[in-house]
Amino acid sequence: MKFSILMTTYNNPTDLVEKSLMSIVNQTHQDFEILIGDGDVNHPAIGSPAIRNLIESLGEKVKYTCVKDGPPENE
């Protein structure tokens, strides 16, 4: 059974994001996907080399998106 883990971040410290990801990765159940929604386009979590490398090393298990938080600007 595959588990989907939804993770949101907004200007979180790099070490907290890394610890969160490693907590998931170190579980015994390995059939999972991590969906990361980053709401801070000015300071994206993936801007950190450590986070970017970790996400890249997990390959297809991680889907990362960075979108400005809040309603669309044309509304």
Side-chain angles (χ1 to χ4, degrees):
M1 175 188 312
K2 182 181 237 178
F3 287 94
S4 296
I5 298 101
L6 308 175
M7 182 176 157
T8 59
T9 182
Y10 185 91
N11 199 18
N12 292 94
T14 301
D15 63 327
L16 180 62
V17 176
E18 186 174 3
K19 286 179 184 178
S20 299
L21 289 170
M22 291 308 298
S23 176
I24 297 165
V25 170
N26 290 327
Q27 299 298 310
T28 56
H29 187 82
Q30 290 296 301
D31 191 12
F32 63 83
E33 66 179 348
I34 305 169
L35 309 170
I36 303 172
D38 193 341
D40 191 355
V41 295
N42 296 318
H43 302 98
I46 203 165
S48 159
I51 301 301
R52 187 173 45 254
N53 291 339
L54 179 55
I55 289 173
E56 288 174 2
S57 74
L58 293 170
E60 295 293 316
K61 288 188 177 245
V62 179
K63 297 187 181 39
Y64 175 90
T65 184
C66 186
V67 179
K68 183 175 187 249
D69 196 25
E73 291 187 20
N74 61 355
E75 288 186 9

